[in-house]
Amino acid sequence: FVVSGSWDGTARAWAVRAAERGDDAAVYSRGAPDDNWGAVRAVAFSPSGKTFAAGSDDGVVRLWRADDGVLLEILPGHESWVYGVAFSETGLLATAGQDSTIRTWVQEDGRHVEAGVAKQDAWVYSVSFAPGGSALAAAGADLTVTTYDVASDGKLAL
């Protein structure tokens, strides 16, 4: 699968092998303009490939089951557009947004809960974990890249 986010407010899963054969590649599409989510600006697969996260203009990150598009979780927290989502190798989730925050999420009892928040001086466009997940880089609208140490419980420190 390949997953894409779109300005029309949808996240779509695509079957790469079908596209290579010339078949219809769209497996499913989730969300719609009338859902009022705004654009889906960021998508990322979990390390297992079984779920993906999609961040949208309503400040929410949604977790979907990859094989059939079932909505698994809704993670509110950002006050505005979500620009970046990333998973660490261990499954820690980081999100970044127009509200100038970076948020980390850990799984507890099968659900994601917010573990850490860091405030930047400008919008945060992208986040990426270093191999092993002990560091997180965040790219901001102020043309800076800030790195954070990430504890195993998801807490962030400069």
Side-chain angles (χ1 to χ4, degrees), residues 92-93 103-106 115-117 149-157:
L92 183 67
L93 174 64
R103 298 173 186 272
T104 54
W105 308 80
V106 295
V117 179
D149 291 327
V150 182
S152 61
D153 64 0
K155 301 288 186 217
L156 297 169

Side-chain angles (χ1 to χ4, degrees), residues 3-14 26-40 43 52 54 56 62-72:
V3 176
S4 64
S6 177
W7 286 95
D8 70 359
T10 60
R12 289 184 178 89
W14 304 88
V27 176
Y28 58 81
S29 178
R30 295 296 178 258
D34 60 343
D35 286 331
N36 214 18
W37 300 346
V40 175
V43 293
F52 70 90
S56 52
R62 290 170 180 81
L63 298 177
W64 304 88
R65 193 165 52 212
D67 62 353
D68 61 6
V70 169
L71 179 63
L72 300 173

Side-chain angles (χ1 to χ4, degrees), residues 38-126:
V40 175
R41 297 182 181 273
V43 293
F45 276 103
S46 68
S48 70
K50 293 181 180 179
T51 61
F52 70 90
S56 52
D57 285 358
D58 63 355
V60 172
V61 175
R62 290 170 180 81
L63 298 177
W64 304 88
R65 193 165 52 212
D67 62 353
D68 61 6
V70 169
L71 179 63
L72 300 173
E73 288 186 74
I74 296 173
L75 308 178
H78 287 280
E79 296 172 12
S80 189
W81 299 358
V82 177
Y83 284 129
V85 294
F87 282 96
S88 73
E89 295 167 1
T90 61
L92 183 67
L93 174 64
T95 61
Q98 190 181 40
D99 60 359
S100 304
T101 65
I102 299 151
R103 298 173 186 272
T104 54
W105 308 80
V106 295
Q107 270 200 314
E108 289 184 5
D109 299 322
R111 306 292 295 170
H112 283 82
V113 295
E114 190 175 277
V117 179
K119 183 79 171 155
Q120 302 255 113
D121 292 331
W123 299 353
V124 185
Y125 288 129
S126 180

Side-chain angles (χ1 to χ4, degrees), residues 8-23:
D8 70 359
T10 60
R12 289 184 178 89
W14 304 88
V16 177
R17 297 287 183 244
E20 289 173 350
R21 290 189 309 267
D23 297 336

